[in-house]
Amino acid sequence: MKPYTPALQRILCIGGGPAGLYFALLMKRRDPALTITVVERNRPFDTFGWGVVFSDQTLGNLQAADPESAQLIGDAFNHWDDIEVFYKGGRVRSGGHGFCGIGRKKLLNILQERCIALGVDLVFETDVSDDQALAAQYNADLVIASDGLNSRIRTRYADTFQPDIDTRECRFVWLGTKKTFDAFTFDFVQTEHGWFQAHAYKFDGETSTFIVETPEAVWKAHGIDQMEQAEGVAFCEKLFADRLEGHALISNAQHLRGSANWIRFPRVICKTWVHWADVAGRSTPVVLMGDAAHTAHFSIGSGTKLALEDAIDLADEFSRHANADVAEVLQGYEARRSVEVLKIQNAARNSTEWFENVDRYTGMEVEQFAYSLLTRSQRISHENLRLRDAKWLEGYENWLVQQAVPGAQPKKHPTPPMLLPLTVRGLTLKNRIVVSPMAQYSAADGVVGDYHLVHLGARALGGAALVMVEMTSPTPEGRITPGCPGLWNDAQKAGLKRIVDFVHGQSSARIGLQLGHSGAKGSTQLGWDKIDEPLPEGNWPLLSASAVPYGEQNQVPRAMTRADMDALTAAFVDATQRAADAGFDWLELHAAHGYLLSAFICPLTNLRTDEYGGTLANRCRYPLEVFAAMRAVWPADRPMSVRISAHDWAPGGNTPDDAVEMARLFKAAGCDVIDVSSGQTTRQARPVYGRMYQTPFADRVRNEAGILTMAVGAISEADHANSIIAAGRADLCAVARPHLADPAWTLHEAAKLQTRAVEWPRPYESGRDQLYREIARQQALNAPAP
């Protein structure tokens, strides 16, 4: 390999954990002329901790980076494919997951020996208090700060690295046992104060890691915070006696007193990873690596993986750009690697929150509880589980079918979760896919015409169970734009009834209407002009909860009086009666996205001092009044949903905790389904986007408030929908943009599944549905259509 330029001759790694050792050996392997020193505070071949876990994929990365050490690590690994879940006296075991376990001490010993063989200098029992002095001592051209979770170097240069450290909610203790588990085992035990969970796996021929975790409040309620270490270990032995089968739990942290071995996981994110320090008059890069730069919760086993892959990535970057300036190499490394780490950390966040909130899922049967656990990070999907263990997933799909269709017989190819029927009140939907209400800006004086007939009719023929008409206003002033529909007169009702009749006459889909008032976001331009911006002329006056404009450029609305509220409630009731007369199957009240009812709920836009302001219950008072009045005139056998913004994504705004309480209030008022969206309540919102990014909010609302939910937001594949429904994160999936691009999105996604010989639930199909389904299936098979 081509040696490096003289600009990089001496490397100093501060911290002899996996990151520092592995980077040192990789760089020395690539260029033996480099002088590389690793400084570690502990003694030679001494380490703490129990076992660490890698996936098969990670082991493959190690093999490509350094076959010699990978062979030694592979020989020491204990490999298993199964995950086993114990919960409420039940047990679920699935395979194909591909894990490897190795003792942390064994791993470090292998890396240490490999470093010595290559000529890396290892300096032990040296506690580094001044990295600059040490860098000057070794005349380092590059300093790797691999000094772990409590990195002194990260703290010293915090102004550059800008660390964000979030200490999580659970307490956990890292123990070992001589009971060897033949699967990665999760055991959930309920006590009088709450739930404990154990994460257990074998890492050598005679020892297993045994991590015990519980929420802080449960930990304190049992008095573990006041126990000596031996008492706490004995408590865990008794709690998990069924799984330990007489084996003891072992601690290797005897140097800690009391309950100090129970810690809370710190999630570390750094804005930047490279600091340029003045070392003896030279500008020297100091690069964070491993836990010093980032952490990922142990529940996805990625801390050591991230550290080793950091080392691989930076070493590869130097190899690819051997003649490049060191600064350019480090800039490229940080830019690329930080994105990959963020992906893992996002998955780890989802996993962490699942384990912090086990109680949320304890209403589930063991079958669904285990599925929810397996897919908790949203990295593992429904079809990914099929690749891992098709037989187990087939059994679970049949279980889901039996929940949806009691008495159904097991099949070789069960109906996928997204195609299962759902009954809400007196309405049965043929599957779980909803065409989201999407503004089309194509109405004339509030009247929908041919465009909407084609737009909504095509999607009703496209396989979705429920097609929603965009937000429709009960008053002229409640429209978002002049092109938005309304329902305050009979001409508007007739236009909508024409579409309803087409959907009912030509498909087996159902059709719903979303009613809402724009509030402070009204009187704006069409979506393809300047969205959310005021009309150039002809603006109408606006109403809202308070005189708070949506933006500086928007009108200041008038705060509603009691008389305004009464008049608008009456208008909603009148529109509801017209919707019922038009034959709609479903009615949704829009209380999200900063529109009028949302403005009452959001504390950033509701500044009222009367009974409609202040607490969340008060802020929801008027939206609940409107909903109750609508429910009173809407037919009792037809469902009603409410769309909420579950997170304002802005300081001082509503949070997912508030969303759960909102859902409880609407449920008590007779709401059947909460349509869980987020944001758009203020221009200051800063959402964190990503695949299925709003689904966790639907999950919380469904499983904490005990109400059906509709998930929406970046759901673009059947695999997403199947995962959401199967895990019990939501009961319906609202799909927007994919249905704009392809009116038959549901048919086409289902047809891909049908290549596995899946059948639709035919009792809910019309003849035309069956024909279109077969056309889509043939297209998926790339064969001529009949």
Side-chain angles (χ1 to χ4, degrees), residues 22 51 180 226 242 369 400 532 573 666 715 725:
Y22 202 55
T180 54
Q226 302 300 316
D242 288 349
F369 182 87
L400 285 172
D532 289 335
V573 169
F666 280 108
I715 301 169
I725 302 303

Side-chain angles (χ1 to χ4, degrees), residues 18-19 21-23 25-26 29-30 52-77 100-103 106-108 110-111 114 301-313 315-316 337:
L21 289 170
Y22 202 55
F23 181 71
L25 75 86
L26 292 179
R29 178 177 180 268
R30 285 161 169 73
V52 295
V53 176
F54 298 149
S55 67
D56 288 347
Q57 180 183 6
T58 300
L59 193 57
N61 294 339
L62 301 183
Q63 178 66 35
D66 180 37
E68 291 85 353
S69 60
Q71 181 65 47
L72 294 171
I73 292 169
D75 291 344
F77 264 131
C100 303
I102 186 173
K106 180 66 175 176
L107 173 65
L108 291 187
I110 290 171
L111 298 181
R114 179 71 173 138
S302 292
T304 305
K305 162 194 165 69
L306 286 177
L308 296 175
E309 291 181 349
D310 283 353
I312 293 170
D313 200 294
D316 284 348
R337 183 68 186 147

Side-chain angles (χ1 to χ4, degrees), residues 214-230:
T214 190
E216 169 105 348
V218 178
W219 182 72
K220 286 186 174 180
H222 279 282
I224 304 174
D225 58 324
Q226 302 300 316
M227 293 180 185
E228 289 300 321
Q229 185 176 145

Side-chain angles (χ1 to χ4, degrees), residues 168-208:
R168 299 305 309 177
E169 301 299 321
C170 281
R171 289 277 177 173
F172 70 95
V173 61
W174 203 288
L175 302 170
T177 179
K178 293 301 180 181
K179 162 66 187 287
T180 54
F181 294 89
D182 63 349
F184 197 120
T185 300
F186 294 100
D187 191 13
F188 297 84
V189 176
Q190 186 176 22
T191 71
E192 66 271 27
H193 299 301
W195 288 83
F196 285 77
Q197 55 261 8
H199 312 235
Y201 53 88
K202 182 174 68 172
F203 65 84
D204 64 27
E206 59 181 21
T207 319
S208 297

